[in-house]
Amino acid sequence: MAQLEHIEAIEKRLWSAADTLRANSNYAGNEYFLPVMGLVFLRHAYSRYLGVKDAIEAGLPTRGGKTRPLTKEDFSQKSAIFLQPKAQFDTLVALPDSADRAKAIIDAMESIEADYENLRGVLPKSEYQELDNVVLGQLLRTLNPEELKRVSGDVFGRIYEYFLTQFADQKAHDGGEFFTPVSLVSLIANVIEPTGGTLLDPACGSGGMFVQSARVVERRHENPTEKLTFYGLEKNATTIRLAKMNLAVHGLEGDIQKSITYYEDPHELLRTADFVMANPPFNVDEIDADKVGSDRRLPFGLPGVNKKGKVSNGNYVWISYFYSYLNEQDRAGFVMSSQASSAGRDEAKVRRKLVETGDVDVMVAIRSNFFYTRTVPCELWFPQPRQARAAPRQGANDRRPQRLPQSHPQDFRFFARAGAELARHSLALSGETGRYLDLVAGYCQRMLTEGAACFTMKDDNDEMVEPLPDFLSALTSLRSYFDPFLKTLAKDAPHTEPLKELDDAIPMFKADAEAFRKTLSEQRVAWGNRIPPTVN
């Protein structure tokens, strides 16, 4: 937890510094967006490169006393990008002010594009020519703080996502619609668990659904490039560049096509996708009804046409498309306007047909203002595997909406718990008893560990501290320090009543803390864990 809070502070500081440098450039906010994300991409790629380089070198074969050179294939197997020396971030940071930094960055980008065909023409290059050489130097140094070299994990992966979040919040590109909050994407990925097969996102934006799905596979100690095949559709060319960069920096590849999904289906994945994940535009009313009327992806028909010949509301066009892509072993998770679950007339007819298939398993309500660019509330839809319909599941007729309380879009810890809760719900109903019990056991173990940290844990300096006992001790000491002053006040002074409440509350708080400690100790003994210290 200490490292997480430390990283959050670094994220904010890096963003503030990068945003401040914009004032010294010739770019407006929407123009500054791509060159900054290009440098964050390079820094993130370098972080992943260094993270696996030593392990790769240790396993390289030797012949005649010579070790085989590193190749891009070595890094692809580790979900990382191979970087030539001129593309490594430290090389760029070390450039003197007399060097042409824009040219060096362009050369770095071109070297990566030369090695990775899927990135050719994708990475920002000419954009750097408009940035002042000194500003570029400051930006490079800003994105390479010394403290980041001492933390573990995919730190720059988080920072990359944080920068995407901030630019989305500023609507720096495409009104911010290119980005879905990471916490929400992670929740969807953890519920449907895309562990192998074809995954389609028909409105893929910056590719977050693909990245979070890959992380599900990585947690199983498997290689996502071997287990998942990614297909995406996106109408905006710049957003496609972002998506391909996002995939590449995580060592992933995907077939992302420029397409208006309403009218085009270049991947031709009708009834063949194993997983569908998406966050489409809400409540679109400009879809040409004549163009989509005979589309095979509308098994339930059009959801109404207005006097202008447009589909009245595109929500059920999207839902029908998602449904039609899935095969008989399907799982899907997508974001949808909350209006879709209560709309009337022709939309209600489509919804009835969909519900009657029995394929809508779980719906989760998300509060309004959750997205950076949408104020309306939304819902998550999770269609169930069709094979599960053959045998009615215990509890299948007792469906109640799964509603999440209000939470900030970046509350990762809350959504991790919510994802586990929904996963348990799905596993219990589908009869996967063993995995269900493993999830519950893991959750209990984590709760016990977090509870024990209230009594003893390591701080940022790796020293042992006792948060709750120390707090109680400090509270008791503070109360005693006030005594000399309080004795000088009249007995009927205004402080009397709140002081009595405090004096009554302190022993109750101590008793509650001790009861918590005893219960925690009993449970940890039952689970074979160490007992926390007694509260004094």
Side-chain angles (χ1 to χ4, degrees):
M1 193 64 65
Q3 176 166 301
L4 174 63
E5 293 168 354
H6 185 50
I7 294 169
E8 288 173 347
I10 294 173
E11 289 170 340
K12 292 176 182 177
R13 189 164 66 255
L14 291 182
W15 169 257
S16 177
D19 195 41
T20 299
L21 289 173
R22 177 164 54 91
N24 298 313
S25 74
N26 297 323
Y27 282 142
N30 61 332
E31 298 170 321
Y32 191 64
F33 160 71
L34 201 56
V36 169
M37 287 311 302
L39 291 183
V40 177
F41 163 84
L42 276 180
R43 183 59 182 85
H44 184 17
Y46 186 51
S47 178
R48 292 182 74 90
Y49 171 87
L50 291 179
V52 300
K53 178 174 175 286
D54 289 346
I56 291 173
E57 289 180 329
L60 289 176
T62 59
R63 178 174 295 178
K66 294 184 178 181
T67 302
R68 174 177 65 76
L70 294 168
T71 66
K72 68 176 186 179
E73 287 74 19
D74 296 324
F75 288 84
S76 296
Q77 293 172 5
K78 299 287 186 179
S79 298
I81 292 180
F82 171 68
L83 297 173
Q84 296 181 26
K86 61 182 174 183
Q88 295 176 17
F89 210 78
D90 281 350
T91 301
L92 298 172
V93 172
L95 291 172
D97 287 340
S98 58
D100 187 340
R101 291 191 175 97
K103 183 180 184 303
I105 293 171
I106 293 170
D107 288 345
M109 297 296 190
E110 288 178 343
S111 73
I112 294 174
E113 289 186 344
D115 284 331
Y116 293 89
E117 184 177 353
N118 61 309
L119 287 177
R120 288 175 191 172
V122 169
L123 302 181
K125 294 180 286 294
S126 61
E127 292 87 350
Y128 295 104
Q129 293 173 339
E130 298 298 321
L131 284 171
D132 179 79
N133 199 51
V134 173
V135 171
L136 273 176
Q138 291 176 311
L139 192 52
L140 287 166
R141 289 189 291 272
T142 293
L143 295 173
N144 198 45
E146 187 65 29
E147 57 198 319
L148 276 181
K149 299 173 183 178
R150 298 193 300 269
V151 293
S152 59
D154 189 16
V155 174
F156 246 94
R158 278 188 47 122
I159 292 172
Y160 186 88
E161 291 163 348
Y162 182 80
F163 269 61
L164 281 174
T165 300
Q166 295 305 108
F167 276 121
D169 197 22
Q170 289 189 351
K171 302 182 181 180
H173 165 62
D174 198 24
E177 288 191 355
F178 67 93
F179 186 75
T180 305
V182 175
S183 50
L184 200 60
V185 181
S186 179
L187 172 59
I188 294 172
N190 279 284
V191 172
I192 73 170
E193 290 190 300
T195 53
T198 299
L199 190 153
L200 171 68
D201 184 345
C204 70
S206 57
M209 299 288 183
F210 302 135
V211 172
Q212 294 301 322
S213 297
R215 287 176 177 167
V216 171
V217 175
E218 287 172 346
R219 285 201 302 271
R220 296 165 63 93
H221 306 291
E222 296 176 325
N223 188 340
T225 61
E226 296 174 354
K227 304 296 291 187
L228 291 171
T229 303
F230 299 123
Y231 292 95
L233 299 175
E234 172 56 45
K235 63 181 175 61
N236 187 287
T238 300
T239 305
I240 291 175
R241 294 172 69 186
L242 274 179
K244 290 185 175 181
M245 287 164 59
N246 200 9
L247 284 173
V249 83
H250 289 91
L252 307 170
E253 292 188 20
D255 186 352
I256 300 175
Q257 299 286 327
K258 187 177 187 298
S259 174
I260 299 177
T261 307
Y262 303 126
Y263 311 124
E264 301 167 311
D265 185 25
H267 295 309
E268 298 183 344
L269 290 175
L270 188 71
R271 301 188 187 90
T272 60
D274 296 295
F275 305 97
V276 174
M277 299 171 67
N279 173 26
F282 294 171
N283 306 318
V284 175
D285 59 2
E286 291 296 325
I287 303 173
D288 190 320
D290 288 338
K291 288 185 178 181
V292 301
S294 60
D295 198 303
R296 296 186 302 159
R297 296 173 294 170
L298 294 173
F300 310 115
L302 281 174
V305 180
N306 60 29
K307 295 179 181 179
K308 297 180 180 180
K310 308 292 186 182
V311 175
S312 303
N313 190 306
N315 291 338
Y316 276 95
V317 171
W318 283 113
I319 292 172
S320 296
Y321 284 2
F322 301 154
Y323 180 86
S324 70
Y325 282 124
L326 296 167
N327 64 33
E328 293 184 356
Q329 308 293 322
D330 63 55
R331 282 186 229 166
F334 54 86
V335 188
M336 183 49 59
S337 167
S338 61
Q339 294 181 30
S341 62
S342 58
R345 304 187 65 175
D346 293 317
E347 290 178 76
K349 294 177 183 177
V350 174
R351 182 171 64 250
R352 175 180 289 276
K353 292 177 183 177
L354 177 61
V355 170
E356 286 175 349
T357 66
D359 286 350
V360 180
D361 185 34
V362 178
M363 294 176 66
V364 182
I366 305 293
R367 66 167 174 82
S368 59
N369 296 310
F370 189 88
F371 287 88
Y372 301 103
T373 59
R374 302 171 185 164
T375 58
V376 297
C378 67
E379 293 168 342
L380 307 183
W381 291 49
F382 295 99
Q384 73 180 47
R386 290 179 196 161
Q387 63 177 0
R389 289 183 297 158
R393 298 174 296 175
Q394 183 178 0
N397 294 322
D398 183 22
R399 297 298 176 83
R400 300 177 183 176
Q402 300 287 316
R403 182 172 293 274
L404 303 183
Q406 299 221 1
S407 180
H408 188 273
Q410 295 307 311
D411 191 344
F412 294 96
R413 286 163 285 184
F414 167 78
F415 275 91
R417 292 194 296 272
E421 194 67 35
L422 281 176
R424 284 196 295 277
H425 166 86
S426 299
L427 290 172
L429 289 180
S430 61
E432 296 187 53
T433 307
R435 292 189 60 208
Y436 169 77
L437 293 175
D438 287 344
L439 275 172
V440 173
Y443 182 76
C444 290
Q445 288 277 15
R446 288 194 298 275
M447 292 304 98
L448 290 172
T449 300
E450 290 183 13
C454 295
F455 296 92
T456 180
M457 61 176 288
K458 289 186 177 181
D459 63 12
D460 291 344
N461 297 318
D462 207 34
E463 295 181 357
M464 297 302 299
V465 294
E466 298 179 347
L468 188 53
D470 289 348
F471 173 77
L472 287 168
S473 177
L475 184 62
T476 302
S477 297
L478 183 63
R479 172 65 184 85
S480 65
Y481 293 152
F482 277 112
D483 270 342
F485 169 70
L486 294 172
K487 290 178 180 178
T488 66
L489 302 177
K491 291 183 179 181
D492 58 350
H495 76 283
T496 304
E497 186 173 341
L499 180 62
K500 184 178 183 306
E501 290 181 6
L502 176 63
D503 287 342
D504 290 342
I506 289 176
M508 286 192 293
F509 185 25
K510 287 184 176 180
D512 287 344
E514 180 58 21
F516 174 47
R517 187 202 69 80
K518 288 182 177 178
T519 301
L520 184 65
S521 297
E522 292 168 359
Q523 292 301 315
R524 286 173 68 84
V525 168
W527 287 82
N529 289 328
R530 195 171 49 189
I531 305 172
T534 302
V535 175
N536 296 318

